[in-house]
Amino acid sequence: MKIRIGIIGAGRIGKIHADNLLRLAQAEVVAVSDLYAGPELEVWAADRGISTVTKNSDDIIARPDIDAVFICSSTDTHVPLIKQAARAGKHIFCEKPVSMDIAQTEEAVEAVRQAGVKLQIGFNRRFDHNFKRVREHVQAGTIGDLHIVKITSRDPNPPHEDYIKVSGGIFMDMMIHDFDMARFLSGSEVEEVYAQGNVLVDPVFAKYGDVDTAVVTLRFANGALGVIDNSRQAVYGYDQRVEVFGSKGSVAVANDHPNTAVVSTAEGIVSDKPLHFFLERYNDAYIEETQMFIDSLAKGAPLPVEGNDGLQAERIALAAKLSSRLKRPVKLSEIHELSKA
Amino acid sequence: MKIRIGIIGAGRIGKIHADNLLRLAQAEVVAVSDLYAGPELEVWAADRGISTVTKNSDDIIARPDIDAVFICSSTDTHVPLIKQAARAGKHIFCEKPVSMDIAQTEEAVEAVRQAGVKLQIGFNRRFDHNFKRVREHVQAGTIGDLHIVKITSRDPNPPHEDYIKVSGGIFMDMMIHDFDMARFLSGSEVEEVYAQGNVLVDPVFAKYGDVDTAVVTLRFANGALGVIDNSRQAVYGYDQRVEVFGSKGSVAVANDHPNTAVVSTAEGIVSDKPLHFFLERYNDAYIEETQMFIDSLAKGAPLPVEGNDGLQAERIALAAKLSSRLKRPVKLSEIHELSKA
Amino acid sequence: MKIRIGIIGAGRIGKIHADNLLRLAQAEVVAVSDLYAGPELEVWAADRGISTVTKNSDDIIARPDIDAVFICSSTDTHVPLIKQAARAGKHIFCEKPVSMDIAQTEEAVEAVRQAGVKLQIGFNRRFDHNFKRVREHVQAGTIGDLHIVKITSRDPNPPHEDYIKVSGGIFMDMMIHDFDMARFLSGSEVEEVYAQGNVLVDPVFAKYGDVDTAVVTLRFANGALGVIDNSRQAVYGYDQRVEVFGSKGSVAVANDHPNTAVVSTAEGIVSDKPLHFFLERYNDAYIEETQMFIDSLAKGAPLPVEGNDGLQAERIALAAKLSSRLKRPVKLSEIHELSKA
Amino acid sequence: MKIRIGIIGAGRIGKIHADNLLRLAQAEVVAVSDLYAGPELEVWAADRGISTVTKNSDDIIARPDIDAVFICSSTDTHVPLIKQAARAGKHIFCEKPVSMDIAQTEEAVEAVRQAGVKLQIGFNRRFDHNFKRVREHVQAGTIGDLHIVKITSRDPNPPHEDYIKVSGGIFMDMMIHDFDMARFLSGSEVEEVYAQGNVLVDPVFAKYGDVDTAVVTLRFANGALGVIDNSRQAVYGYDQRVEVFGSKGSVAVANDHPNTAVVSTAEGIVSDKPLHFFLERYNDAYIEETQMFIDSLAKGAPLPVEGNDGLQAERIALAAKLSSRLKRPVKLSEIHELSKA
């Protein structure tokens, strides 16, 4: 028996999840909803044997024959959709972030808990072959006790201004992946954050109170220190590296490249740039996160990343945002109080 | 309208091709034949919606609704099947080598020519991301005039004795891929071959007049020199590298690895071994060769590797075999004469 | 005519400088002083044709035939010796740090200025082949405007407790090199510092109010951000890397290794650890800094690193120390005020 | 007591050896001879405290106070000088090749044996940090039984025509280093050689019956196979790599680079070219070979490379030359007979 899925939000990422689900023997995509559904989406769905196309996500959540929904619509819709789907007994895969408001995310997580359904958050990087290998080494004790975690995450190009406007800012939109990675790799919670940022790539970020370059230091509950650097523009391509360092050594992962070719000429030694952006770099990771969600539903395996993981990453992002604004380190225990101010 | 395909020979490679074809919107696998077809194959086919399973390849070749066949059966069946399929007007994808007898391969290529059908040979490595990049650079003139081509090709483990027995020997079975690669990368024909071999991995190879370690030098029509080294056993994994060197520089490609993790400890700096074997390393290449075959049929694009490519690689392999036996360099122009001796 | 040199302090680094000077055609080492001078030092000096060995540095500074002194004695002696040597008209090479008290360092720099002599500070890393290449690229505009500077600096082993006691702490003793590197690479002054530290390697550091692991973020006058991580113990060897990132790309340098050998076995792919420690890694840099000091004296070339460079690095180190204590970012403009508190 | 040395032949390499000897506490260079000795050489010698400069090497060999000579004059003078020096009881360091005539080299080696003096041949690459590490691994059994040895050796630029004319050809002049390396790394003698060459870099080589590009395969006494490729012109710099492969894995060494800087820009990932040529790459190796020669004389340590090593490399070079001419593999046991023809 196949897991029957409805996709809510048929933008780029919604379509990627649909295509990845179609490759799985245990899953069946039966419906897709999108506010802007039209002939184009209908053709797309028909090509894939997806029978229902609708503008209204209620049509999906109401259907008793649907086991799970993928929430790939805009961030502001996530929490209401999660609550609604949870009440309807659907398992949920939701893109990151759950919301930009910790209290709302907490409500969503609570609704899921009460409904007894499963909620997986789309932290796709946890499924990347490189980062998984780092975590394996950390867990196996290869590097001993953890001392320093370093994460570099730089996009090849800044997003469009329309997106910057609603993105929630670099910490909530972009670095949230790295905050999750910090927790994933260290196996420890973050206790304190200090965020430095600046507008160095494009003045448009300043217009929305955002920065495009940021360096954030972390202090983990286990005493380890961390540092994350983000840039909205690395002209040489998507830059996604981590290094963990401890009492017995270090594990570091470099970028993925389209090939291993090294050209040696009178001008120097040259190789091709890293894989361009997240679709190229995390293609296999997207496939695997979908596979593991379905496996969890079909076989009762534990979820690889849960609602609480979404919540914790958002809490760190909020602490970073507050630190950047207050120009001082912020403890995660302070954010509730500080947010009210 | 989809290209309708029949698979002849449902061993490992036949099944891989079938699965790769199933991912293509333009292709449909409608039948599969195997001498040992039974309940297991029927389940396998049913899971994939392949309606016909038969022990007799005639059932496939005779069907007027089938456009093309994949010949994945044992090497000795290739030539008769190619002739039969060509006469029946089927396009053909055939695994390498076409045969171990140049005259027979020539007949097969001629039959294809007369029938006006297409014949693609399964030189999957031409579709590898690394080797394609090398060829692009050679063709773009990055390295200028070609002076030296170096190819390393080592398997992680020797094959089973049952296979060694019928393999045709290291030059025809294993190095044939490298002979094709030499032609592919250089864009030039090989004129002379000198082969050195020895039994260093396992005495079982000597039992069948074969060697397990070989170094072959090539002289190309354009004056460039080449060297290929093969081993049946590289304990660190599948070793597939090439380097081309010329008047303006060199291009070299290294192995593919499962991740980029580098572990630094008191013992040294360690990374994981290369991708284990051809299924892991050439997974994407297998997908692409299938895609290009279907594209060629559907859109009339030229084939990326043709019958003549199979023939030329076999001629070089035969020259290498003769060189090894005669302990002297052998010109390709001599092989007809020498084979008669 | 040769530059005549006296060495003050004949510990490990004093002897290294002496040996490096002996290789220079333009320099002559004529005297060496050390509080603990004895038969061993006399033999060492005799082997090198150094005629005078004394316990009293005054004997060196008083000699009219000596052109320059190398101050390699303990840090607390640096300032009085610089003042005395400057007044005596000697040019001075002084090991880092000049002192652990900014006001005293300022006095020393001022004394040098008034005397019109030259003062070079022993920031040997500026002469390292890797770091010089990074700076060349930054200055040539290869990476465009500077956005992020990242520096990793980890020692293979913690120092002995006797040294920890008087070291001045990780920021003044160890990270001071990285603060100088940050200025050297960026070509910009540091304006603000935030320091996080912890005792993760050995509890002995806590005993002296010191930390063994630290992550420090920097904000430069030109708007760029920086981050430095230090550890007193990297079991895989001396770890000295930098990366600078900007609007047109990045330049990164890796560690130096004793050889390029890569061993591939059934266990993995292994290479040797980096060069063990500063004597191995910076051997050539020590030679070059000495050469450039002598060149500056002999040919009037500008000094590659001056008293002010020593002062600025100390100011950043002090800011880091204060930040770590106050648990907040510290501006360099605040340190005068804060130090009084 | 110091070893007193005379240098015969004060060209580039003679001067390098002299300078390297001057750094050694146990050695003293007391005389230098050169056919073209004149004021320039006298200044050079005076700067270094070398008291005697002469045009006549007899002046050196006749001196009873000289313990050893470095023969750095043109190849045709090596054998008579070795014989003369041996008879005079001098220890000898001689540049490669001893001669281009095996019989003469044999006579020189025999003269040395009869005189009971030591003769070291200038195979400097044996002292290279990379190649030494490979040999250590081979000897330690890291790679198990040896199966394949691969050596790449390419010069950045072809020599001047004046040199080509008298060089003895690529096999005797250039590849002789690689033949020695093959013996050094494998610990086995070469039994058979097959040489392919072509003129691809510059037609001037053809004028002197020489080639500029060559690929040579070797068969070792222990059954292993080898391959060496040489080019007189690698535009990206000096290319000196080896790989040894065996039953337990492989060890490979890459080129040395002036720094580890990697530049990432919109155009690609770029690093600097390898160290330019032998003076840069083998600087430390030249120092070490001199040190070991002196150690052998001073402490009675065994020589690291002896007369017989020179002889064997020449025998392989001759076999390669014959193979290239006869266009067939040549056994080393045949060269005596074939040379007479």
Side-chain angles (χ1 to χ4, degrees):
Chain A
M1 211 205 61
K2 294 194 171 192
I3 309 292
R4 294 168 63 83
I5 312 271
I7 306 281
I8 298 173
R12 185 166 54 177
I13 194 68
K15 284 177 174 164
I16 286 170
H17 288 315
D19 275 333
N20 290 339
L21 287 164
L22 287 165
R23 297 163 61 149
L24 301 178
Q26 294 168 298
E28 196 178 351
V29 180
V30 297
V32 58
S33 76
D34 195 278
L35 278 181
Y36 306 102
E40 199 192 358
L41 186 61
E42 278 171 19
V43 169
W44 178 88
D47 273 357
R48 285 154 179 81
I50 302 174
S51 47
T52 304
V53 175
T54 172
K55 289 195 178 184
N56 191 345
S57 58
D58 294 348
D59 297 347
I60 287 179
I61 297 177
R63 269 174 64 167
D65 67 327
I66 284 183
D67 302 305
V69 294
F70 272 62
I71 301 177
C72 309
S73 45
S74 63
T75 302
D76 57 307
T77 67
H78 289 179
V79 169
L81 285 168
I82 289 173
K83 288 184 188 171
Q84 185 186 356
R87 278 193 302 264
K90 308 302 183 207
H91 299 295
I92 303 159
F93 182 104
C94 182
E95 274 304 315
K96 49 81 7 195
V98 173
S99 80
M100 294 178 199
D101 179 322
I102 304 297
Q104 284 204 35
T105 301
E106 285 171 338
E107 282 180 27
V109 170
E110 177 57 19
V112 162
R113 196 193 59 76
Q114 286 185 11
V117 296
K118 294 192 169 192
L119 168 62
Q120 182 170 327
I121 307 301
F123 283 130
N124 56 295
R125 296 187 194 171
R126 288 192 178 212
F127 305 88
D128 175 71
H129 60 144
N130 291 336
F131 301 140
K132 277 196 297 182
R133 191 71 178 115
V134 174
R135 178 160 143 120
E136 281 169 21
H137 279 298
V138 172
Q139 292 192 325
T142 310
I143 64 154
D145 296 330
L146 198 65
H147 292 180
I148 303 176
V149 176
K150 295 175 73 174
I151 301 175
T152 290
S153 184
R154 302 171 189 156
D155 285 352
N157 323 108
H160 191 274
E161 182 170 351
D162 291 347
Y163 182 83
I164 295 169
K165 209 180 301 188
V166 300
S167 73
I170 197 168
F171 303 112
M172 194 60 85
D173 174 57
M174 182 173 170
M175 204 180 278
I176 195 166
H177 277 294
D178 307 303
F179 294 137
D180 182 61
M181 187 54 57
R183 295 179 68 244
F184 176 68
L185 296 178
S186 68
S188 178
E189 294 298 340
V190 170
E191 288 193 340
E192 196 182 56
V193 175
Y194 175 68
Q196 280 261 24
N198 210 347
V199 177
L200 299 170
V201 172
D202 190 332
V204 71
F205 286 95
K207 203 167 145 186
Y208 300 100
D210 200 358
V211 295
D212 51 36
T213 306
V215 174
V216 169
T217 52
L218 309 172
R219 184 177 279 265
F220 293 90
N222 65 9
L225 306 178
V227 61
I228 299 167
D229 72 277
N230 269 194
S231 171
R232 286 288 194 180
Q233 183 178 57
V235 296
Y236 52 82
Y238 201 37
D239 195 350
Q240 301 277 298
R241 291 170 287 149
V242 312
E243 181 194 0
V244 292
F245 170 78
S247 58
K248 292 187 180 167
S250 73
V251 190
V253 285
N255 289 312
D256 282 345
H257 288 258
N259 58 68
T260 62
V262 174
V263 176
S264 301
T265 69
E267 276 72 45
I269 312 302
V270 187
S271 53
D272 286 330
K273 293 187 287 179
L275 292 178
H276 179 61
F277 210 172
F278 62 96
L279 294 182
E280 292 85 6
R281 166 65 187 263
Y282 295 122
N283 182 43
D284 289 345
Y286 282 119
I287 292 170
E288 192 174 316
E289 72 173 353
T290 309
Q291 169 79 64
M292 291 191 75
F293 178 65
I294 297 301
D295 280 359
S296 176
L297 303 195
K299 305 174 189 166
L303 283 176
V305 44
E306 295 180 304
N308 183 54
D309 295 310
L311 178 62
Q312 295 311 323
E314 287 172 29
R315 294 180 71 233
I316 306 171
L318 177 58
K321 214 166 166 175
L322 291 164
S323 168
S324 176
R325 189 191 307 152
L326 301 170
K327 301 190 180 306
R328 68 159 177 91
V330 167
K331 287 193 178 2
L332 264 74
S333 57
E334 298 178 274
I335 60 172
H336 185 65
E337 197 62 29
L338 289 171
S339 300
K340 288 193 289 194
Chain B
M1 211 205 60
K2 294 195 171 191
I3 309 290
R4 294 168 63 83
I5 311 269
I7 306 281
I8 298 172
R12 186 166 53 176
I13 194 67
K15 284 177 174 166
I16 286 170
H17 288 314
D19 276 333
N20 290 339
L21 287 164
L22 288 165
R23 298 164 61 147
L24 301 178
Q26 294 169 297
E28 197 179 348
V29 180
V30 296
V32 57
S33 75
D34 196 279
L35 278 180
Y36 307 102
E40 199 193 358
L41 186 61
E42 278 171 19
V43 169
W44 178 89
D47 273 356
R48 285 153 179 84
I50 302 174
S51 47
T52 305
V53 175
T54 172
K55 290 195 177 182
N56 191 346
S57 58
D58 294 349
D59 297 347
I60 288 180
I61 295 176
R63 269 175 66 165
D65 68 327
I66 284 183
D67 301 306
V69 293
F70 272 62
I71 301 177
C72 308
S73 46
S74 64
T75 301
D76 57 307
T77 66
H78 289 180
V79 169
L81 285 168
I82 289 174
K83 288 186 190 171
Q84 185 185 356
R87 276 192 305 263
K90 309 301 183 205
H91 298 296
I92 303 158
F93 181 105
C94 182
E95 274 305 316
K96 48 86 356 198
V98 174
S99 80
M100 294 178 197
D101 178 322
I102 304 297
Q104 284 204 35
T105 300
E106 284 171 340
E107 281 179 29
V109 170
E110 177 57 19
V112 163
R113 196 192 60 74
Q114 286 185 11
V117 296
K118 294 192 169 191
L119 168 62
Q120 181 169 329
I121 306 303
F123 283 130
N124 57 297
R125 295 186 195 172
R126 290 191 176 212
F127 305 88
D128 175 70
H129 60 144
N130 291 337
F131 301 139
K132 277 195 298 182
R133 192 71 178 115
V134 175
R135 176 160 146 120
E136 281 168 22
H137 278 299
V138 172
Q139 292 192 324
T142 309
I143 64 154
D145 297 328
L146 197 66
H147 292 180
I148 302 175
V149 177
K150 295 174 74 175
I151 300 175
T152 290
S153 185
R154 301 171 189 156
D155 285 353
N157 322 108
H160 191 274
E161 183 170 350
D162 291 346
Y163 183 82
I164 294 169
K165 207 181 303 188
V166 298
S167 73
I170 198 168
F171 302 112
M172 193 60 83
D173 175 56
M174 182 174 171
M175 205 180 276
I176 195 166
H177 277 294
D178 306 302
F179 294 137
D180 182 61
M181 187 54 56
R183 294 181 66 243
F184 175 68
L185 296 178
S186 67
S188 178
E189 294 298 339
V190 169
E191 287 192 339
E192 196 182 56
V193 176
Y194 175 68
Q196 281 261 23
N198 210 347
V199 178
L200 300 170
V201 171
D202 190 331
V204 71
F205 287 96
K207 202 168 144 187
Y208 301 100
D210 200 359
V211 295
D212 51 37
T213 305
V215 173
V216 169
T217 52
L218 308 173
R219 183 178 279 265
F220 292 91
N222 65 9
L225 306 180
V227 61
I228 299 167
D229 73 275
N230 269 194
S231 169
R232 287 288 193 180
Q233 183 177 58
V235 296
Y236 51 82
Y238 201 36
D239 195 349
Q240 301 276 297
R241 292 170 287 148
V242 312
E243 180 194 0
V244 291
F245 170 78
S247 57
K248 292 187 180 167
S250 73
V251 190
V253 286
N255 288 313
D256 283 344
H257 287 257
N259 59 68
T260 63
V262 174
V263 176
S264 301
T265 70
E267 276 71 46
I269 313 301
V270 187
S271 53
D272 286 330
K273 293 186 289 177
L275 292 179
H276 179 62
F277 210 173
F278 63 96
L279 294 181
E280 292 84 7
R281 165 66 185 263
Y282 295 122
N283 182 41
D284 290 345
Y286 282 119
I287 292 170
E288 192 174 315
E289 71 173 354
T290 308
Q291 171 79 65
M292 290 191 77
F293 178 65
I294 298 301
D295 280 359
S296 177
L297 302 195
K299 303 175 189 165
L303 283 176
V305 44
E306 296 180 304
N308 182 55
D309 295 311
L311 178 61
Q312 295 310 323
E314 287 172 30
R315 293 180 70 231
I316 306 170
L318 177 58
K321 213 165 165 175
L322 290 164
S323 169
S324 177
R325 189 190 307 151
L326 300 171
K327 301 189 181 304
R328 68 161 176 89
V330 167
K331 288 192 178 6
L332 265 73
S333 56
E334 298 179 274
I335 59 173
H336 185 65
E337 196 63 28
L338 289 171
S339 300
K340 289 192 288 190
Chain C
M1 211 204 61
K2 295 193 170 192
I3 309 291
R4 293 167 64 83
I5 312 270
I7 307 281
I8 298 172
R12 186 166 52 176
I13 194 67
K15 284 178 174 163
I16 286 171
H17 288 315
D19 275 332
N20 291 338
L21 287 164
L22 288 165
R23 298 164 61 148
L24 300 178
Q26 294 169 298
E28 196 178 350
V29 180
V30 296
V32 58
S33 76
D34 195 279
L35 279 180
Y36 307 101
E40 199 193 358
L41 186 61
E42 278 172 18
V43 169
W44 176 90
D47 273 355
R48 285 153 179 83
I50 303 174
S51 47
T52 305
V53 175
T54 172
K55 290 194 177 184
N56 190 346
S57 58
D58 295 347
D59 297 346
I60 287 181
I61 296 176
R63 269 175 64 166
D65 68 326
I66 284 182
D67 302 305
V69 294
F70 273 62
I71 301 177
C72 309
S73 46
S74 64
T75 300
D76 57 307
T77 67
H78 289 179
V79 168
L81 285 168
I82 288 173
K83 289 184 187 172
Q84 185 186 356
R87 277 193 304 265
K90 308 302 183 207
H91 298 296
I92 303 158
F93 181 105
C94 181
E95 273 305 315
K96 49 83 2 197
V98 173
S99 81
M100 293 178 200
D101 178 322
I102 304 297
Q104 283 204 35
T105 301
E106 284 171 339
E107 282 180 28
V109 170
E110 177 58 18
V112 162
R113 197 193 58 76
Q114 287 184 10
V117 297
K118 294 192 167 190
L119 168 62
Q120 181 170 327
I121 307 302
F123 283 131
N124 56 295
R125 295 186 195 172
R126 289 191 177 212
F127 305 89
D128 176 71
H129 60 144
N130 292 336
F131 301 141
K132 276 195 300 183
R133 191 71 178 116
V134 174
R135 178 161 144 118
E136 282 168 22
H137 279 298
V138 172
Q139 292 192 325
T142 309
I143 63 154
D145 296 329
L146 197 65
H147 292 180
I148 302 174
V149 176
K150 295 175 73 175
I151 301 175
T152 291
S153 184
R154 301 172 189 154
D155 286 353
N157 322 109
H160 191 273
E161 183 170 351
D162 291 346
Y163 182 83
I164 295 169
K165 208 180 302 188
V166 299
S167 73
I170 198 168
F171 303 112
M172 194 60 85
D173 174 56
M174 182 174 170
M175 204 181 277
I176 195 165
H177 277 294
D178 307 302
F179 295 137
D180 181 61
M181 187 54 58
R183 293 180 68 243
F184 175 67
L185 296 179
S186 67
S188 178
E189 295 297 339
V190 169
E191 286 193 340
E192 196 183 56
V193 175
Y194 175 67
Q196 281 262 24
N198 211 346
V199 178
L200 300 170
V201 171
D202 190 333
V204 71
F205 286 96
K207 201 167 145 188
Y208 301 99
D210 200 359
V211 295
D212 51 36
T213 306
V215 173
V216 169
T217 52
L218 309 172
R219 185 178 278 265
F220 293 91
N222 65 9
L225 306 179
V227 61
I228 299 167
D229 72 276
N230 270 193
S231 170
R232 286 289 193 180
Q233 183 177 58
V235 297
Y236 51 83
Y238 202 37
D239 195 349
Q240 300 277 298
R241 291 171 287 147
V242 311
E243 180 193 0
V244 292
F245 169 78
S247 58
K248 292 187 180 166
S250 73
V251 190
V253 286
N255 288 312
D256 283 344
H257 287 258
N259 59 67
T260 63
V262 174
V263 176
S264 301
T265 70
E267 276 73 45
I269 313 301
V270 187
S271 53
D272 286 330
K273 292 186 288 178
L275 292 178
H276 179 62
F277 210 172
F278 63 96
L279 294 182
E280 292 83 7
R281 165 66 186 262
Y282 295 122
N283 182 41
D284 289 345
Y286 283 119
I287 292 171
E288 191 174 316
E289 72 173 355
T290 309
Q291 170 79 63
M292 290 191 76
F293 178 66
I294 297 301
D295 280 359
S296 177
L297 302 194
K299 305 176 188 164
L303 283 176
V305 45
E306 296 180 304
N308 183 54
D309 295 311
L311 178 61
Q312 296 310 322
E314 286 172 29
R315 294 180 71 233
I316 306 171
L318 177 58
K321 213 166 165 174
L322 291 163
S323 169
S324 176
R325 189 190 309 149
L326 301 170
K327 301 190 180 305
R328 68 162 176 89
V330 166
K331 288 191 176 4
L332 264 74
S333 57
E334 297 179 274
I335 60 173
H336 185 66
E337 197 63 27
L338 289 171
S339 300
K340 288 191 289 190
Chain D
M1 211 205 61
K2 295 193 170 192
I3 309 291
R4 294 168 63 83
I5 311 269
I7 306 282
I8 298 172
R12 186 166 53 176
I13 194 67
K15 284 176 173 167
I16 286 170
H17 287 315
D19 275 333
N20 290 339
L21 287 164
L22 288 166
R23 299 163 61 148
L24 301 178
Q26 294 169 299
E28 196 179 350
V29 179
V30 297
V32 57
S33 76
D34 195 280
L35 277 181
Y36 306 101
E40 200 193 357
L41 186 61
E42 278 171 19
V43 170
W44 178 89
D47 274 356
R48 285 154 178 82
I50 302 174
S51 47
T52 305
V53 174
T54 172
K55 290 195 177 183
N56 191 345
S57 58
D58 294 349
D59 297 347
I60 288 180
I61 296 176
R63 269 174 66 165
D65 67 327
I66 284 183
D67 301 306
V69 294
F70 272 62
I71 301 177
C72 309
S73 45
S74 62
T75 301
D76 57 307
T77 67
H78 289 179
V79 169
L81 286 168
I82 290 172
K83 288 185 188 171
Q84 185 185 356
R87 278 193 303 264
K90 308 302 183 205
H91 298 297
I92 303 159
F93 181 104
C94 182
E95 275 304 318
K96 49 85 357 199
V98 173
S99 80
M100 294 179 199
D101 178 323
I102 305 296
Q104 284 203 35
T105 301
E106 285 171 338
E107 282 179 27
V109 170
E110 177 58 18
V112 163
R113 197 192 60 76
Q114 287 185 9
V117 296
K118 293 192 168 190
L119 168 62
Q120 182 170 328
I121 307 301
F123 283 130
N124 56 296
R125 296 186 194 172
R126 289 191 177 211
F127 305 89
D128 176 71
H129 60 144
N130 292 336
F131 301 139
K132 276 195 299 182
R133 192 71 177 115
V134 175
R135 178 161 143 118
E136 281 168 22
H137 279 298
V138 172
Q139 291 191 325
T142 309
I143 64 155
D145 296 329
L146 198 64
H147 292 180
I148 302 176
V149 177
K150 294 174 74 174
I151 301 175
T152 290
S153 185
R154 301 172 190 155
D155 285 353
N157 322 108
H160 191 275
E161 184 171 348
D162 291 348
Y163 183 82
I164 295 169
K165 208 180 302 188
V166 300
S167 73
I170 198 167
F171 302 112
M172 193 60 83
D173 175 56
M174 182 173 170
M175 204 179 277
I176 195 166
H177 277 295
D178 306 302
F179 294 136
D180 182 60
M181 187 55 57
R183 294 180 67 243
F184 176 67
L185 296 179
S186 67
S188 178
E189 295 298 339
V190 170
E191 288 192 339
E192 196 183 56
V193 176
Y194 174 69
Q196 280 263 21
N198 211 346
V199 178
L200 299 170
V201 171
D202 190 330
V204 70
F205 286 96
K207 202 167 143 186
Y208 301 99
D210 199 358
V211 295
D212 51 37
T213 306
V215 174
V216 169
T217 51
L218 309 171
R219 183 178 279 265
F220 293 91
N222 65 9
L225 306 179
V227 61
I228 300 167
D229 72 275
N230 270 194
S231 170
R232 285 289 193 180
Q233 183 177 59
V235 297
Y236 51 83
Y238 201 36
D239 195 349
Q240 301 276 298
R241 292 170 286 148
V242 312
E243 180 193 0
V244 292
F245 170 79
S247 58
K248 291 187 179 167
S250 73
V251 190
V253 286
N255 289 311
D256 282 345
H257 287 258
N259 58 68
T260 63
V262 174
V263 177
S264 301
T265 70
E267 276 71 46
I269 313 301
V270 186
S271 53
D272 287 331
K273 293 186 287 178
L275 292 178
H276 179 62
F277 210 170
F278 62 96
L279 294 181
E280 292 84 6
R281 165 65 186 263
Y282 295 121
N283 183 42
D284 289 345
Y286 282 119
I287 292 171
E288 192 174 315
E289 72 173 354
T290 308
Q291 170 79 65
M292 291 191 76
F293 177 66
I294 297 301
D295 279 0
S296 177
L297 303 194
K299 304 175 189 166
L303 283 175
V305 43
E306 296 180 305
N308 182 55
D309 295 311
L311 178 62
Q312 295 310 323
E314 287 172 29
R315 293 180 71 232
I316 305 170
L318 176 59
K321 214 166 165 173
L322 291 164
S323 169
S324 176
R325 189 189 308 151
L326 301 171
K327 300 188 181 308
R328 68 161 176 89
V330 166
K331 288 194 179 0
L332 265 74
S333 57
E334 298 178 275
I335 60 172
H336 185 65
E337 196 63 29
L338 289 171
S339 300
K340 289 192 289 189

